[in-house]
Amino acid sequence: MDKYVLGMDVGGTHTRLGLVALDCSLTDFEIVKTEELQKSEDTVGSFIRVIREYLQRHAAGKEISAVSAGFPSTLDRDRRTVLSTPNIRGFNNIAIVDRLEEEFGIPAFIETDVDMLLLYDMFEHQIPAEGITCGFYFGTGLGNAVVIDGRLLIGKTGAAAELGHIPVRGLHGACGCGNTSCIEMIASGYHLKDLCVEKFPGVEIGEVFAKCRDQEEIHGFIDDLALAAATEINILDPDHIVIGGGLVYMEGFPRHELEEDIYKYARKPYPARELQYIYSRQGQENGVIGAGILAYKRLEELRKEGR
């Protein structure tokens, strides 16, 4: 019987599911609207129903070894509880791993969605586990993940690598996290959308780099993205730098300008002299495969522990 893990990438708009084999190949990939999880007051119950129905369609004749899901959330350090999910109602302070394991009788694992993306990119680009790898994902928000010697940087409370919430003097207004002055307020798709409305009326956000890349406001926006990335680069001096996210995939995104601006803010001579970039491949399935990669790592750890 073929063995798989169920990988999931839970997003604010869409939830992606697929069966991931040990060689990281993907089968039975599906995308469902996340609103399917919110059709009742019991969001977690709806989440479990979506999983059960998916397995009924695709798991016959297969051994499912684990369930693994990436969430756009703050998680506890033990990676068993979803603490806060601003964009999905009902996923706050939920011991989701316990619920999944009770329901399906197999191990369950969770991580942040951006951590799953970096695990996928390290696999896709054959980035070695040794050393430090930083992932910067410029999308609706400012996503960040760090792997050090093969282990995700989690932190004391589970909230490490929140690069978007580095405070910047002089910024005003409240961030979605509740603080003020977070760099994500100016270095994110949220801000770019506001910039389009205010400075480039009539230009769709998906066309703003292609049509307005020479405008001062766009140069300033790219500079702010670089400022965020260079902050972490100067602290960690990473061996590998991965750049991805929806903004980077947009037509006309000025990659060379971003790299020049990162160099401008990077400490000289090092790490500035050694900066090299790997760009993530755009794909709906990336986070699902990343979830599978995490599951196989965790299953191997459990096996070595004799559990």
Side-chain angles (χ1 to χ4, degrees):
M1 185 178 292
D2 294 331
K3 295 183 179 181
Y4 298 88
V5 299
L6 171 59
M8 302 184 67
D9 178 13
V10 182
T13 304
H14 294 102
T15 292
R16 302 162 183 86
L17 309 90
L19 299 180
V20 184
L22 183 58
D23 65 358
C24 297
S25 59
L26 179 67
T27 188
D28 298 318
F29 179 68
E30 287 191 5
I31 301 176
V32 300
K33 291 185 177 180
T34 300
E35 65 186 28
E36 288 291 323
L37 313 182
Q38 300 176 304
K39 286 189 172 181
S40 71
E41 290 300 314
D42 182 11
T43 304
V44 177
S46 296
F47 182 64
I48 289 172
R49 173 184 56 79
V50 167
I51 295 173
R52 186 186 303 112
E53 292 174 354
Y54 174 89
L55 292 175
Q56 287 171 351
R57 290 192 298 274
H58 300 296
K62 301 167 184 171
E63 180 180 337
I64 308 302
S65 302
V67 178
S68 182
F71 286 91
S73 313
T74 302
L75 309 177
D76 71 327
R77 189 181 191 283
D78 293 333
R79 289 336 202 211
R80 298 190 67 84
T81 300
V82 176
L83 299 177
S84 174
T85 310
N87 296 320
I88 306 176
R89 173 180 54 80
F91 274 104
N92 298 308
N93 296 312
I94 298 294
I96 188 67
V97 169
D98 290 342
R99 289 285 302 272
L100 291 173
E101 290 182 340
E102 290 169 5
E103 181 68 28
F104 298 105
I106 54 178
F109 309 102
I110 60 171
E111 255 305 340
T112 66
D113 53 355
V114 70
D115 282 347
M116 300 299 201
L117 290 176
L118 184 56
L119 291 177
Y120 168 79
D121 283 328
M122 292 182 70
F123 164 77
E124 169 73 11
H125 297 281
Q126 298 184 325
I127 297 172
E130 296 75 18
I132 301 173
T133 299
C134 294
F136 304 105
Y137 296 90
F138 301 114
T140 304
L142 202 174
N144 179 222
V146 178
V147 170
I148 301 177
D149 292 331
R151 300 191 69 86
L152 288 161
L153 180 63
I154 301 300
K156 177 182 177 181
T157 64
E162 287 286 353
L163 181 63
H165 303 286
I166 294 289
V168 176
R169 185 178 180 87
L171 288 183
H172 302 287
C175 176
C177 74
N179 280 354
T180 60
S181 305
C182 295
I183 197 167
E184 190 173 79
M185 294 169 58
I186 57 172
S188 64
Y190 288 120
H191 179 63
L192 183 63
K193 183 178 180 180
D194 292 341
L195 203 62
C196 285
V197 172
E198 181 180 348
K199 299 294 183 179
F200 311 115
V203 176
E204 297 291 332
I205 188 172
E207 303 174 321
V208 67
F209 294 121
K211 293 184 175 181
C212 308
R213 63 185 295 170
D214 293 328
Q215 299 299 311
E216 179 181 353
E217 292 84 0
I218 297 300
H219 290 311
F221 178 75
I222 298 301
D223 193 81
D224 290 333
L225 298 184
L227 180 65
T231 298
E232 182 164 284
I233 289 168
N234 285 340
I235 294 170
L236 294 179
D237 187 16
D239 298 87
H240 308 281
I241 300 168
V242 178
I243 296 177
L247 299 185
V248 177
Y249 307 137
M250 287 167 57
E251 181 184 359
F253 181 87
R255 294 185 178 187
H256 183 65
E257 181 178 346
L258 174 66
E259 293 174 14
E260 287 185 331
D261 286 347
I262 292 175
Y263 178 84
K264 176 176 66 178
Y265 289 119
R267 188 182 184 278
K268 315 302 187 295
Y270 299 107
R273 192 177 292 177
E274 296 292 331
L275 299 179
Q276 296 182 344
Y277 305 96
I278 299 168
Y279 282 87
S280 177
R281 180 184 64 82
Q282 185 177 15
Q284 295 274 13
E285 72 279 7
N286 296 3
V288 173
I289 298 174
I293 292 169
L294 177 94
Y296 284 115
K297 287 177 180 286
R298 297 289 185 264
L299 286 170
E300 178 62 16
E301 291 171 0
L302 292 176
R303 186 190 67 79
K304 289 180 178 179
E305 294 170 3
R307 296 165 61 186

